Amino acid sequence: MASLQQSPAIKGAKVLMVGAGGIGCELLKTLALSGFEDIHIIDMDTIEVSNLNRQFLFRQKHVGQSKAKVARDAVLRFRPHISISSYHANVKDSNFNVDFFKQFNVVLNGLDNLDARRHVNRLCLAAEVPLVESGTTGFLGQVSVHVKGRTDCYECNPKPSPKTYPVCTITSTPSKFVHCIVWAKELLFAKLFGDKNQDNDLNVRSSDSTGSSEQAEDVFERKANESIEQYGRRIYDHVFGYNIEQALSNEETWKSRNKPRPIYSRDVICAELMQQNGNSDKAGSAGDPLSVSAMASLGLKNPQDLWSLKDNSRVFFEALKLFFGKREKEIGSLCFDKDDPLAVEFVTAAANIRAASFGIPLHSLFEAKGIAGNIVHAVATTNAIVAGLIVIEAIKVLQKDFDSYRMSYCLEHVTQKMLIMPVQPFEPNKSCCVCSETPLTLEIDTNHSKLRDFVEKIVKAKLSMTSPLIMHGSSLLYEVGDDLDDAMIANYSANLEKVLSSLPSPVTSGTMLTVEDLQQEFTCNINIKHREEFDEENEPDGMVLHGWTQVPTKPKDDDDKPPTGNGDSSKTSQTETVEAEAEVVVKINIEEIGASGNKRKAPDSRDISTDPPSNDVNEATAANHKKVHKIDDGDDDEELVMLDHWDIDTNKKQKLR
């Protein structure tokens, strides 16, 4: 270590770290102790209580402060002679552009979402700066090196994305507990406690409403002089009783499905018990919102207990009462947060009551929180191991030791007497739309889809562009930027509301659109193919993008299990589930990799299987199969490619050059 610390390549290196969370804390410490003297950190997050069990640079007194700044200050206390610059900011901010990235010798990622990872990947490609990626989830971890022209880029190979469901499934025909969680979190919680002006697919009209829907009373509006108990019963009866009866009135829907049963408060909890429900004195202090708990008020102690329908109803009413009694000032601006006990309790209770109505098995609060918050409990040791592997690869990059680059995998079970498995990196994928500029194909109904749909669902959601510019030939259809005048802004806003075929330069089948992100210096060509019919269940966006490296998804039966990744995000779209899929399996031959000095070729569609991996993985089966699992993680470290099965038929081996 002493000789490494004196290495000019290390002492003179200027390093950018993106992310100061689970991996980031370990990485900053390891960089400082390894002799790096010029480190820059970007992180937009603040410290939360749930971070303290593994992000060891932080303490209770730091809660609410900038992760980047606190991490910097902590490391400087034991390495005061080095330079550490912290930025409490979003890496996607315009000041972190290509010129900013060009000043660094290497970029080290410890991010928590796919969108930001793609953004950094593109900036590194444009700046021609090597990128070292990383990820952990539980006992599993991964580190990979991405150097322009020598290895694959981060987007060369498929990445899993959250599974989506049509809104109609969530609102009308749930069949899995995760559907109930999404309904309770994104519809009911948002309607009761969030922005009242936001669009919401929840039925807000009661059986008492008369006249047009515009004049009908919103059942979620609390009436003057209405007690919280009366309001709670009215909401309960509406969403779990009246709305279910309305759904049952459409007999065609239930011909091939089990009918739900309406649940009314009077059938579950009597008026007398309602008055005695909970002890607010035990619920926590109004001055500390995160201490308020319906479980504490009701004397429920074990979050792993399975509550009855009656218990769930009591928690529902008590949580509603506590929100209006102790946190009324927050109502109207609340978003679901997995670190907010009262929010989790309310969502769990509401999801379980809805599940009971539709004959879906109930779940404990512990299980429901895992699904709603996309949680897998992090292992600090895995973060430490991965941080060490990142620094090893960074040193190889700085010493230009190209032949020694490795993708390294931390395994849960010993495989071939190893818990850390190094393999050769992939070659650049010639069909990658990012580093190889291969055109994409978009199937879309050009007569009904608006430019706004294309921008939101494709350009931003799938291609992760932040400052897009869209051109058809020499005609500019859409642009964003601070230098636009009012007339240009009005023109582009008007274009957003037009269907593609009615734009000033019509977009029809065969049209080639050029989409560019000036900040990322990334350009992509998209060939438009007109298509009129889409499968609502499997193609909920009403458009399909081909050639974009994302894992194909297919329905699974384990949607109600806590997800594979540890997501810290508290916001999800209405149709998104909050779990990750581990579905892509890339076949490789570990023996050939070990013997070969050449990089592996990136897999094409023939090398990718969408068969989900077995849930019964153990040391015996790990010796009989060879699979690479794509795992979406969302805690501090996102995408994983885990190798846990090593043997494979020769006719399915990944060919090496």
Side-chain angles (χ1 to χ4, degrees):
M1 178 62 76
S3 62
L4 278 177
Q5 289 178 338
Q6 302 304 316
S7 169
I10 293 177
K11 290 174 67 72
K14 192 171 185 178
V15 178
L16 175 62
M17 278 179 52
V18 188
I23 287 179
C25 283
E26 295 285 352
L27 179 57
L28 182 59
K29 174 260 296 180
T30 306
L31 287 171
L33 294 176
S34 299
F36 288 85
E37 296 184 354
D38 190 357
I39 307 167
H40 295 244
I41 320 166
I42 302 174
D43 197 304
M44 66 181 291
D45 285 343
T46 54
I47 297 161
E48 299 179 3
V49 173
S50 62
N51 302 146
L52 302 181
N53 70 333
R54 65 193 183 282
Q55 297 174 21
F56 70 100
L57 296 178
F58 309 143
R59 298 293 183 268
Q60 182 72 42
K61 64 182 180 181
H62 297 134
V63 172
Q65 298 181 38
S66 162
K67 284 187 176 182
K69 184 180 183 304
V70 172
R72 169 192 178 273
D73 294 344
V75 171
L76 285 178
R77 282 198 290 273
F78 61 85
R79 277 292 185 271
H81 63 282
I82 70 175
S83 172
I84 304 178
S85 302
S86 63
Y87 308 86
H88 179 57
N90 190 335
V91 72
K92 296 174 72 175
D93 290 348
S94 58
N95 50 313
F96 301 123
N97 53 22
V98 173
D99 289 336
F100 175 84
F101 272 68
K102 282 182 177 178
Q103 66 183 298
F104 299 101
N105 300 104
V106 65
V107 176
L108 313 177
N109 255 1
L111 282 163
D112 64 355
N113 68 87
L114 186 59
D115 190 51
R117 287 169 181 271
R118 287 173 172 159
H119 184 79
V120 172
N121 176 61
R122 294 169 190 180
L123 288 173
C124 286
L125 287 170
E128 298 190 4
V129 177
L131 169 66
V132 181
E133 263 292 352
S134 63
T136 67
T137 181
F139 293 104
L140 309 179
Q142 172 197 319
V143 174
S144 57
V145 184
H146 304 281
V147 180
K148 185 175 182 179
R150 288 186 173 270
T151 72
D152 62 339
C153 79
Y154 178 71
E155 297 176 75
C156 273
N157 297 304
K159 302 293 185 295
S161 67
K163 190 175 179 181
T164 60
Y165 295 104
V167 172
C168 61
T169 298
I170 303 300
T171 57
S172 304
T173 57
S175 58
K176 301 171 183 176
F177 188 70
V178 68
H179 298 160
C180 301
I181 284 286
V182 175
W183 175 88
K185 171 183 164 184
E186 301 295 342
L187 298 182
L188 185 59
F189 184 90
K191 188 65 183 176
L192 287 169
F193 310 118
D195 185 354
K196 302 290 185 184
N197 297 319
Q198 278 192 338
D199 291 337
N200 195 306
D201 289 282
L202 210 58
N203 175 21
V204 300
R205 308 304 171 193
S206 71
S207 55
D208 299 328
S209 300
T210 56
S212 69
S213 60
E214 288 79 5
Q215 296 174 336
E217 183 182 57
D218 185 342
V219 75
F220 289 89
E221 289 292 332
R222 189 176 173 187
K223 299 175 182 177
N225 302 321
E226 186 177 32
S227 71
I228 189 60
E229 288 81 10
Q230 292 171 326
Y231 177 65
R233 278 191 178 275
R234 187 159 58 81
I235 297 300
Y236 187 107
D237 291 345
H238 178 79
V239 296
F240 302 120
Y242 172 73
N243 278 0
I244 301 301
E245 288 190 357
Q246 288 292 102
L248 287 170
S249 64
N250 185 357
E251 296 182 2
E252 192 69 27
T253 302
W254 309 106
K255 282 186 175 180
S256 58
R257 295 183 175 94
N258 293 326
K259 291 184 178 181
R261 66 181 179 95
I263 300 175
Y264 288 93
S265 59
R266 64 177 180 270
D267 301 324
V268 180
I269 185 169
C270 65
E272 183 179 349
L273 186 58
M274 181 81 169
Q275 294 291 332
Q276 302 170 357
N277 195 42
N279 184 345
S280 297
D281 294 336
K282 297 180 180 180
S285 169
D288 181 8
L290 295 185
S291 72
V292 179
S293 167
M295 282 184 67
S297 176
L298 294 169
L300 300 172
K301 297 180 179 180
N302 189 350
Q304 298 193 44
D305 285 345
L306 195 62
W307 299 336
S308 65
L309 177 58
K310 182 177 179 179
D311 286 336
N312 278 291
S313 299
R314 293 180 65 206
V315 172
F316 178 92
F317 288 123
E318 187 65 16
L320 190 69
K321 182 173 75 174
L322 291 173
F323 268 120
F324 278 90
K326 292 182 179 283
R327 299 176 59 177
E328 189 167 14
K329 291 181 180 179
E330 299 175 70
I331 292 176
S333 61
L334 280 169
C335 292
F336 176 82
D337 184 347
K338 67 177 177 56
D339 293 315
D340 182 341
L342 194 59
V344 173
E345 290 163 351
F346 179 85
V347 166
T348 298
N352 271 328
I353 298 167
R354 185 166 175 83
S357 177
F358 282 85
I360 299 168
L362 308 190
H363 285 57
S364 69
L365 182 135
F366 181 81
E367 294 169 321
K369 181 179 179 180
I371 297 170
N374 198 23
I375 297 169
V376 164
H377 298 288
V379 177
T381 308
T382 311
N383 289 339
I385 294 170
V386 164
L389 292 170
I390 293 171
V391 175
I392 290 172
E393 294 305 319
I395 291 171
K396 294 177 188 176
V397 168
L398 295 171
Q399 294 178 337
K400 302 189 184 305
D401 189 2
F402 305 119
D403 293 336
S404 297
Y405 291 172
R406 291 293 182 271
M407 298 173 67
S408 299
Y409 303 95
C410 298
L411 310 177
E412 183 172 359
H413 304 287
V414 174
T415 303
Q416 295 188 351
K417 299 182 180 180
M418 287 186 284
L419 277 172
I420 298 177
M421 179 66 66
V423 298
Q424 292 279 356
F426 281 116
E427 290 181 342
N429 186 345
K430 293 180 181 179
S431 63
C432 175
C433 68
V434 177
C435 65
S436 299
E437 299 183 2
T438 301
L440 304 176
T441 298
L442 176 66
E443 294 182 336
I444 188 170
D445 188 337
T446 57
N447 295 326
H448 290 90
S449 295
K450 297 180 179 179
L451 181 62
R452 179 182 297 280
D453 299 325
F454 174 70
V455 170
E456 296 296 332
K457 296 178 180 180
I458 301 298
V459 176
K460 292 183 178 180
K462 287 185 167 56
L463 299 180
S464 300
M465 293 190 178
T466 55
S467 304
L469 178 153
I470 303 173
M471 296 189 68
H472 177 195
S474 60
S475 177
L476 187 56
L477 301 177
Y478 180 73
E479 183 182 10
V480 296
D482 297 331
D483 57 344
L484 301 180
D485 58 38
D486 292 343
M488 295 169 71
I489 293 173
N491 180 51
Y492 296 142
S493 297
N495 281 352
L496 285 175
E497 303 308 322
K498 295 177 181 178
V499 297
L500 296 177
S501 59
S502 299
L503 287 166
S505 180
V507 175
T508 57
S509 195
T511 295
M512 181 70 79
L513 293 179
T514 299
V515 187
E516 183 176 358
D517 190 303
L518 299 178
Q519 183 184 352
Q520 299 174 355
E521 295 192 12
F522 168 50
T523 302
C524 181
N525 292 317
I526 303 178
N527 181 39
I528 302 298
K529 182 178 179 180
H530 177 73
R531 177 178 159 192
E532 295 184 354
E533 295 183 0
F534 294 87
D535 186 310
E536 189 179 86
E537 185 73 26
N538 298 317
E539 302 165 332
D541 287 338
M543 56 190 75
V544 179
L545 185 64
H546 299 283
W548 173 58
T549 50
Q550 182 191 5
V551 172
T553 59
K554 65 180 185 179
K556 295 181 70 175
D557 297 329
D558 57 354
D559 284 340
D560 298 340
K561 296 179 182 178
T564 305
N566 330 359
D568 278 345
S569 173
S570 61
K571 297 179 182 179
T572 311
S573 68
Q574 289 179 12
T575 59
E576 256 180 32
T577 72
V578 284
E579 67 167 10
E581 301 291 326
E583 296 197 43
V584 161
V585 180
V586 181
K587 314 296 195 215
I588 66 170
N589 184 338
I590 199 66
E591 289 80 9
E592 288 187 33
I593 288 172
S596 172
N598 297 324
K599 289 187 284 292
R600 292 183 289 136
K601 291 182 179 179
D604 60 25
S605 59
R606 293 168 297 179
D607 302 314
I608 297 176
S609 165
T610 56
D611 293 332
S614 169
N615 292 324
D616 299 318
V617 175
N618 52 41
E619 291 186 33
T621 57
N624 297 325
H625 301 282
K626 191 174 297 165
K627 296 181 180 179
V628 180
H629 294 181
K630 296 279 184 175
I631 300 176
D632 176 25
D633 153 47
D635 180 52
D636 303 290
D637 342 289
E638 165 113 20
E639 304 297 336
L640 298 179
V641 186
M642 298 312 306
L643 290 84
D644 66 352
H645 294 262
W646 303 107
D647 194 359
I648 191 169
D649 294 336
T650 54
N651 63 343
K652 294 183 180 178
K653 290 178 180 176
Q654 171 70 43
K655 295 184 187 274
L656 304 177
R657 189 179 65 179

